[in-house]
Amino acid sequence: MHTSTIVNRELRKAVEEGLGAKHKSLPSWLFYDEKGDRIFQQIMHMSEYYPTRCEYEILDHHKEDLLRYFESQQSPFQLIELGAGDGLKTEILLRYLCSRHVRFTYRPVDISASVLEQLSRRLKKNLPELEIQPVNKSYYEAVGELHGDEKKVIFFLGANIGNFTPQEALAFLKNISVHLEGQGLALIGFDLKKDPRIIARAYDDEGGITKAFNINLLRRLNRELGAQFSLTQFDHYASYDPETGAARSFLVSLKDQDVPIAALKKTYHFAHWETINTEISQKYDLLMIEKTLSEAGLEIVDLFFDANHFFCDVLVKK
Ligand code: AVI
């Protein structure tokens, strides 16, 4: 079946479930249509959005350490990057591995075909010696299909794990751990708890880019499901709870309104100030990381931090 048909079916199901719930929500994977991909790239360049810069610094500073660990892998190995996005951070490491003649195949996994295409084109040009096999799937699907004897290094970077609730993250890590039997390794990016004001700003920037990212989700539903959301009658609101570490994003209805969605043959009512939760971006502390990983059956091999200790890439094995 064509990927877009699957996405469309998943989209209807997700919207029907999310908007039918007592507390309305929409899953954050809906952000990433073509325009959403572009806005997310802008987010990654915003001064307020620190995670990308921090992880860039970590991968750059620790590429030699990482190479040492990867060299302990049977060669050649598969480097599977779940939710690769534009892969700009990973390119530093790929470039380094190629320069050291490490034998591996890079398998970037992303649900967005356009982002994967861009990434492959850029890498083929910048690193012609790199063996690359893009996988246009959700990371759930991709993990489900991981098999084969070749050793695996799984990358799950960019705080993507934060877009799961802590319970979902645990289930996902348990799933990954199954594929690390033997010599497999995984590098997982966790955004850390820090000054709450820094986190709050990262999800509610002055320039309104994160707002545009959220509102674009409604534009997508208008286009793909024939919904009639008025893009000016919803606002964006972000909250951060320093106790739990949950940063949450919402769309807020600015009036009492009914919104028909043709493809679902339904009309949804939004009360004035009613919210749609669009995303969780969970922040972790080291205790939470250790507990989650150990419950998932994963052992910490090493931890890599940026200079501010804002972010942490954790290398794990089974
Ligand atoms: C992709 N993900 C890790 C980002 C995050 O920080 O949760 C998505 C994002 N949402 C708003 N800004 C960035």
Side-chain angles (χ1 to χ4, degrees):
M1 201 183 298
H2 196 266
T3 320
S4 64
T5 319
I6 300 168
V7 169
N8 200 277
R9 207 177 50 205
E10 292 281 304
L11 179 75
R12 285 161 195 246
K13 191 167 158 257
V15 173
E16 206 156 20
E17 265 175 33
L19 295 187
K22 180 160 174 257
H23 294 290
K24 293 184 173 68
S25 68
L26 288 167
S28 59
W29 60 264
L30 289 181
F31 283 139
Y32 303 95
D33 64 355
E34 240 177 277
K35 188 170 166 107
D37 288 339
R38 278 201 305 275
I39 305 179
F40 184 54
Q41 285 178 11
Q42 282 176 271
I43 288 180
M44 289 191 289
H45 287 103
M46 287 175 356
S47 57
E48 294 97 332
Y49 193 72
Y50 58 84
T52 313
R53 280 192 304 280
C54 295
E55 202 173 39
Y56 197 93
E57 178 190 323
I58 293 173
L59 295 179
D60 193 26
H61 284 187
H62 295 285
K63 50 187 188 287
E64 282 134 52
D65 301 313
L66 287 167
L67 170 65
R68 234 181 326 106
Y69 287 118
F70 298 166
E71 275 179 336
S72 69
Q73 293 291 293
Q74 218 173 54
S75 155
F77 61 90
Q78 292 183 39
L79 199 168
I80 300 149
E81 180 166 14
L82 302 174
D86 68 6
L88 271 179
K89 292 170 304 216
T90 323
E91 190 172 331
I92 324 170
L93 200 63
L94 297 174
R95 184 178 294 279
Y96 183 69
L97 296 179
C98 287
S99 75
R100 306 302 296 263
H101 308 292
V102 177
R103 289 176 56 223
F104 69 103
T105 306
Y106 177 51
R107 304 192 74 200
V109 176
D110 208 286
I111 196 163
S112 162
S114 68
V115 145
L116 265 187
E117 226 172 87
Q118 256 184 55
L119 168 68
S120 312
R121 227 178 302 124
R122 198 187 69 239
L123 289 178
K124 278 183 184 146
K125 183 164 155 267
N126 295 354
L127 295 171
E129 65 277 44
L130 177 71
E131 204 179 307
I132 169 167
Q133 288 174 4
V135 183
N136 184 203
K137 293 208 163 116
S138 73
Y139 26 78
Y140 276 114
E141 274 180 288
V143 170
E145 288 171 19
L146 285 179
H147 43 69
D149 288 341
E150 233 177 332
K151 292 295 169 256
K152 295 170 191 81
V153 175
I154 300 177
F155 276 15
F156 195 41
L157 304 178
N160 284 332
I161 195 145
N163 297 138
F164 291 136
T165 63
Q167 296 80 350
E168 290 166 347
L170 176 59
F172 190 73
L173 290 170
K174 280 185 180 162
N175 214 333
I176 286 191
S177 95
V178 173
H179 300 282
L180 299 183
E181 290 292 355
Q183 290 183 63
L185 292 169
L187 187 68
I188 304 160
F190 290 91
D191 193 11
L192 300 177
K193 288 185 177 177
K194 58 186 69 59
D195 181 341
R197 284 161 290 222
I198 293 179
I199 294 175
R201 276 199 294 273
Y203 293 91
D204 194 10
D205 58 290
E206 288 266 309
I209 298 175
T210 311
K211 173 177 173 175
F213 189 53
N214 276 263
I215 297 287
N216 182 57
L217 201 157
L218 299 180
R219 185 182 286 111
R220 176 176 186 177
L221 301 190
N222 287 352
R223 189 185 61 247
E224 293 187 26
L225 297 181
Q228 289 180 39
F229 283 99
S230 159
L231 305 187
T232 54
Q233 293 307 326
F234 285 86
D235 199 358
H236 161 248
Y237 172 73
S239 73
Y240 175 61
D241 177 351
E243 285 182 343
T244 62
R248 286 151 61 85
S249 286
F250 299 90
L251 285 159
V252 185
S253 176
L254 294 178
K255 63 175 188 186
D256 215 50
Q257 52 187 322
D258 289 313
V259 179
I261 303 187
L264 303 180
K265 299 189 176 65
K266 280 193 181 140
T267 294
Y268 292 91
H269 180 72
F270 296 86
H272 196 186
W273 302 123
E274 187 175 355
T275 53
I276 310 172
N277 178 211
T278 52
E279 183 174 57
I280 177 168
S281 299
Q282 180 67 41
K283 309 305 167 198
Y284 284 80
D285 55 38
L286 287 180
L287 273 177
M288 286 167 79
I289 293 176
E290 278 163 13
K291 187 164 176 286
T292 308
L293 293 173
S294 108
E295 279 178 28
L298 292 166
E299 191 184 318
I300 297 180
V301 177
D302 210 340
L303 297 143
F304 305 102
F305 298 90
D306 60 301
N308 290 318
H309 278 228
F310 277 8
F311 201 92
C312 179
D313 277 330
V314 187
L315 188 69
V316 296
K317 66 176 184 185
K318 173 101 178 130

